[in-house]
Amino acid sequence: MTKQFWIQLKIDKLNKLLKKFKVYLLKEQFRPSFIGLFVNPFYFARKAIYNNIKFYAKNITGTTLDIGCGSKPYASLFQTDKYIGMDIEVSGHKHTDSKIDVFYNGVEIPFKDDFFDSIVCFEVLEHVFNPDVFLTEAIRVLKPGGTAIFTVPFVWDEHEQPYDYARYSSFGLKFLFEKNGFKVAENRKYLCDLRLFTLLANAYIYKIIKKLIPNKVSYLLILPLTTINNFLGHIFYLFPKNEDLYYGNIFLLKKY
């Protein structure tokens, strides 16, 4: 065995470790565990989204369309026969880790009428410039009796610029869904307490430091500061809730 062979072997092992670490960080980004307190500046938002999707996951069955799927971070929560991911080709984020099966052209969803048993759409509607066209297409491809789950942020900063077009209250969302043929079965608001302010502080820290130090070194400053806020958030959770000021909504919808 040559020296070059052993060097290459070590490089391959290092690359495998880095790949595993990247997968682990991606999991902590969308499905944070206790470790997420230390490595995820948006811990409380992502934890709230994940917990609420998990709560309604039993409603998603059969052939399912994930609109704005990205890396399909929540796919394993659902007991489906077929799980199809759809996303738009040009957006405010890279598709490096995406698992896209079909692309959406921004107008027509490329499936026939009444094709899907279920639809899921997470943190996407605020990036849709023509929500009526979008929702009309979504309900068109959903079977009668089918179910959809949407999560939408309410109090959050502009993100994935310039493709960030709207913020909707729970009343605005209910109006949009019903206007375009959906029946609202349930609606829950989440992060309706003082943890919201630690989350917003983390978003501020993240954006400011990333502008000053636009590379991965910035995390050496971001993570210690945001970790402190994450732990403070657990203390703030003891204060009363205010359901008029919150991070986001989740809607369980039906087509009749």
Side-chain angles (χ1 to χ4, degrees), residues 26-27 29-31 50 53 66 68-78 83 99 122:
L26 187 64
K27 172 189 169 293
Q29 183 181 356
F30 292 100
R31 305 172 64 162
Y50 171 73
I53 293 171
D66 185 339
C69 64
S71 61
K72 298 181 180 175
Y74 307 111
S76 63
L77 289 176
F78 310 116
Y83 194 89
K99 299 177 181 178
F122 307 128

Side-chain angles (χ1 to χ4, degrees), residues 96-112:
T96 308
D97 299 307
S98 294
K99 299 177 181 178
I100 302 168
D101 300 303
V102 294
F103 282 105
Y104 174 52
N105 64 11
V107 180
E108 184 179 0
I109 295 177
F111 293 95
K112 64 182 182 180

Side-chain angles (χ1 to χ4, degrees), residues 48-194:
I49 293 167
Y50 171 73
N51 286 343
N52 278 276
I53 293 171
K54 186 177 180 180
F55 180 81
Y56 287 113
K58 63 182 179 294
N59 295 281
I60 302 301
T61 57
T63 301
T64 299
L65 176 65
D66 185 339
I67 302 177
C69 64
S71 61
K72 298 181 180 175
Y74 307 111
S76 63
L77 289 176
F78 310 116
Q79 299 297 317
T80 59
D81 299 326
K82 193 172 185 181
Y83 194 89
I84 299 172
M86 183 181 76
D87 214 321
I88 199 159
E89 195 163 2
V90 179
S91 67
H93 65 274
K94 296 178 181 179
H95 286 308
T96 308
D97 299 307
S98 294
K99 299 177 181 178
I100 302 168
D101 300 303
V102 294
F103 282 105
Y104 174 52
N105 64 11
V107 180
E108 184 179 0
I109 295 177
F111 293 95
K112 64 182 182 180
D113 296 0
D114 306 332
F115 187 82
F116 292 99
D117 300 289
S118 305
I119 289 175
V120 294
C121 183
F122 307 128
E123 310 297 284
V124 170
L125 195 56
E126 74 274 20
H127 301 293
V128 177
F129 189 74
N130 49 353
D132 289 322
V133 173
F134 173 75
L135 291 173
T136 298
E137 277 294 289
I139 200 163
R140 176 184 67 78
V141 300
L142 184 64
K143 292 178 181 179
T147 302
I149 294 177
F150 280 72
T151 69
V152 190
F154 177 50
V155 176
W156 195 228
D157 67 343
E158 288 185 352
H159 56 286
E160 297 190 16
Q161 293 97 327
Y163 306 102
D164 189 356
Y165 302 119
R167 293 293 178 274
Y168 299 99
S169 68
S170 58
F171 305 102
L173 288 169
K174 184 174 184 291
F175 173 81
L176 268 179
F177 291 134
E178 291 180 343
K179 177 186 177 184
N180 290 286
F182 286 101
K183 173 70 175 177
V184 175
E186 291 185 35
N187 165 223
R188 292 174 61 171
K189 301 172 181 179
Y190 44 86
L191 218 59
C192 315
D193 52 70
L194 287 179

